[in-house]
Amino acid sequence: MEEIQSQSDNYRSSSSSASSPASRIPSNNFFYLRKPGALRQPISFEDSPEWEDTDVDIRVDDGADSIHLATTPASPSLSKLNSGSLPSPPLHEGAVIARKIAGASIVWKDLTVTIKGKRKYSEKVVKSSNGYALPGTITVIMGPAKSGKSTLLRAIAGRLPDSAKMYGEVFVNGAKSHMPYGSYGFVERDTTLIGSLTVREFLYYSALLQLPGFFCQKKSVVEDAIHAMSLDEYANKLIGGHCYTKGLPNGERRRVGIARELVMRPHILFIDEPLYHLDSVSALLMMVTLKKLASSGCALIFTIYQSSTEVFGLFDRICLLSNGNTLFFGETLACLQHFSNAGFPCPIMQSPSDHFLRAINTDFDRIIAMCKNWQDDHGDLSSVNMDTAVAIRTLEATYKSSSDAAAVETMILRLTEKEGPLLKSKGKASTATQVAVLTWRSLLVMSREWKYYWLRLILFMLLSLCIGTAFSGLGHSLSSIVTRVAAVFVFISFSSLLGIAGVPALVKEVKIYASEELNQHSGALVFLLGQIFSSIPFLFLISISSSLLFYFLVGLRNEFSLLMYFVLNFFMCLLVNEGLMLVIASIWCNIFWDILMLVSIHVLMMLSAGYFRIRSSLPGPLWTYPVSCIAFHTYSIQGLLENEYLGTSYAVGQVRTISGFQALQNSYEISAHANSKWGNVLALFLMAVGYRVLAFFLLHFCVSKNPLPHRFIRCRKEMNG
């Protein structure tokens, strides 16, 4: 304690320019808050309950759109801190007031989270955290990188990964119950959006996926979400842009991600880093929007790394973390008083959040070491002249013995001593509706994404044109058989390789599925059915256009039934290839590794397809079984050759003839039965089904649990942050 006291005195003397909190923070540096319902009167940070002699009565009308929250006078300690207040920025004419939402209180008590690492032991990421969030307020979890912010947020929301274990209790409206579907929303830091849709279209399809009822009833919900996030002027603009159209800025993209969760009108909204990668103006606009949203009755809990002074003034309560330890929980201005009491007052010209992070971020110790030589020449750097580890211990010890910690315990006791109404699920859209919505949405995206779809169609037609012209004029003599077989092999093999160009689109679809599945908007089966139904028209368009070009340029047999079989065979080949790409995209979810893996697989399949060497002559254990058996090239090429040459005959000399089957049997294995070509189509169909069944298990058990690339490692890093 002597070391702590000496370090505190040292820092107090280095910050001699700092004064008391009331005089230190000019009132014009804050946008002071208004109470819900008091939209025209300026107020200060006086909307929190007085801990010692007042009670908080939270009553929610079941099924209603309003919340009854008994506000209380401010605590005396906060009144002393508030030297004055300025009115909030006036609302512009025609501003839409957010619709009232039935709110809910949430409490976490002695919350500890451990994450299993590479070693045998588990690491504590959050340690005995206590706190609460009330309806109509904003509660912020703040701290440096790897302090446990995201872990705590996910623990409260019940969204921890399988590698994490949670100890402690979470209460919703005073009851130990899980939050049902639709009662809360969670917005990830990296929200995946569909860039080729407008804001209104994206939110409308999200509403169709999430909400039960008729389509027409969901338009008003979408418009409410657009108004709530101040997206009216961007409603008809593309989110990410396509072709040469510019997309939305980062701030508006974050708003769209939040609006997607608002279509359910959640009681509690969790947001991981809402100000991530936003400039100061966009961050302030985002916070003003979130404050307006909170005034409708929704309880907002989000993480933040750093904020400006204006943004800091919009917070109601703050939970300050460092290395998983709670250094403070309470009112935002009371946090300034807490730092001052611990011996670390905030300088006049410094942002409070910058000062908090400066005091508790251990990375600043490295800066001190780097600045020692510079300090010798230019004097002490008072802003970094402090041992961070000692500061953290001082703040933690001061908070545990302070009246703020006792007030939090008292408030938690009051919020949990009586159970309120349980949150109810608002229901889901039916599976048939979700499949129809995903199918129609994918078809709309395909019609607009020319880079991924229309360009592929053009490339397939150019490839067919090139191969067809290179192998044109073969005739129908016995000597043309070998060259025509080569043409069929090149067409199937190169077309399958060219199909890998669709990997970026599939990876994007898998990421969108992962984002929607985490919030229970869709499932693996719904996603697969929607993906199949939407891709079939596009794949059939490719197959019929490419097949017609190749078929007539090469000069295959001029019969309609044979032509239709060629189209069907090639279509099934594309369907199998699409399923294989979906499996690989579900495993890696990374464009580079997906393409590398698919090219390698295709090369192996081409080598074992029976063209370079007859299948019966391939080395048994590896090439014949299993490579040649799982190579869809084998069945596709064999079926096309049987379709072309069974029932034909060729003259050998002037007296003797040979059948097409005999001509091919020695160089390529085909069956003499007329129906064997349909067996090859059946094999392709079963492979297409098998790949999608495998994709279903991968999506359900892997992607939905850990949806990001390099899932396990990256997820653990984000949880620590």
Side-chain angles (χ1 to χ4, degrees), residues 476-481 648-660 662-663:
H476 292 279
S477 63
L478 186 61
S479 60
S480 67
I481 293 179
T648 61
S649 60
Y650 297 89
V652 180
Q654 304 202 355
V655 247
R656 183 165 168 258
T657 60
I658 184 175
S659 66
Q662 292 174 329

Side-chain angles (χ1 to χ4, degrees), residues 612-671:
F612 296 104
R613 190 177 183 186
I614 194 169
R615 290 182 64 193
S616 59
S617 301
L618 289 171
L622 177 62
W623 289 100
T624 304
Y625 306 102
V627 178
S628 65
C629 294
I630 63 175
F632 63 90
H633 305 69
T634 302
Y635 305 100
S636 179
I637 296 172
Q638 185 170 320
L640 292 178
L641 294 181
E642 290 168 349
N643 182 63
E644 177 66 18
Y645 288 104
L646 287 183
T648 61
S649 60
Y650 297 89
V652 180
Q654 304 202 355
V655 247
R656 183 165 168 258
T657 60
I658 184 175
S659 66
F661 167 74
Q662 292 174 329
L664 282 176
Q665 184 62 27
N666 293 331
S667 58
Y668 199 93
E669 290 182 349
I670 65 172
S671 174

Side-chain angles (χ1 to χ4, degrees), residues 209-221:
L209 283 176
Q210 299 178 55
L211 298 171
F214 298 102
F215 290 175
C216 58
Q217 296 175 346
K218 302 173 185 179
K219 291 184 177 180
S220 61
V221 177

Side-chain angles (χ1 to χ4, degrees), residues 401-596:
S401 60
S402 67
S403 59
D404 295 307
V408 172
E409 293 180 2
T410 303
M411 190 63 177
I412 290 176
L413 181 62
R414 292 177 177 176
L415 290 174
T416 56
E417 63 183 358
K418 184 187 298 184
E419 292 188 5
L422 296 178
L423 302 183
K424 297 180 180 180
S425 175
K426 300 178 181 178
K428 286 186 177 182
S430 64
T431 301
T433 300
Q434 290 181 335
V435 172
V437 170
L438 287 180
T439 302
W440 184 253
R441 187 180 71 178
S442 296
L443 287 173
L444 181 60
V445 170
M446 288 182 182
S447 66
R448 295 178 180 178
E449 291 281 0
W450 66 270
K451 291 187 298 183
Y452 296 142
Y453 297 99
W454 298 114
L455 185 58
R456 284 171 61 192
L457 175 62
I458 295 173
L459 291 177
F460 268 98
M461 295 180 67
L462 288 176
L463 178 64
S464 303
L465 183 63
C466 293
I467 297 175
T469 53
F471 289 92
S472 61
L474 296 179
H476 292 279
S477 63
L478 186 61
S479 60
S480 67
I481 293 179
V482 175
T483 309
R484 189 171 279 109
V485 170
V488 172
F489 173 80
V490 169
F491 176 71
I492 295 298
S493 301
F494 284 20
S495 297
S496 301
L497 276 174
L498 187 59
I500 299 177
V503 166
L506 280 179
V507 169
K508 182 183 291 186
E509 289 184 6
V510 170
K511 288 182 178 180
I512 293 171
Y513 156 75
S515 176
E516 294 178 339
E517 202 277 340
L518 276 176
N519 291 338
Q520 304 178 31
H521 298 171
S522 67
L525 181 61
V526 171
F527 168 74
L528 278 178
L529 292 176
Q531 197 273 336
I532 291 173
F533 293 150
S534 61
S535 63
I536 282 178
F538 177 72
L539 294 179
F540 185 76
L541 181 61
I542 289 180
S543 63
I544 195 169
S545 59
S546 302
S547 298
L548 289 175
L549 281 174
F550 174 82
Y551 198 90
F552 291 108
L553 286 175
V554 174
L556 300 180
R557 293 168 63 185
N558 191 13
E559 294 183 21
F560 181 75
S561 60
L562 301 182
L563 172 62
M564 289 297 100
Y565 176 86
F566 191 99
V567 173
L568 177 62
N569 184 296
F570 185 51
F571 170 72
M572 296 305 301
C573 184
L574 294 177
L575 203 61
V576 174
N577 192 32
E578 196 85 1
L580 175 61
M581 291 192 297
L582 185 59
V583 169
I584 301 300
S586 302
I587 295 174
W588 294 101
C589 206
N590 180 280
I591 295 176
F592 173 78
W593 290 109
D594 289 344
I595 293 177
L596 183 62

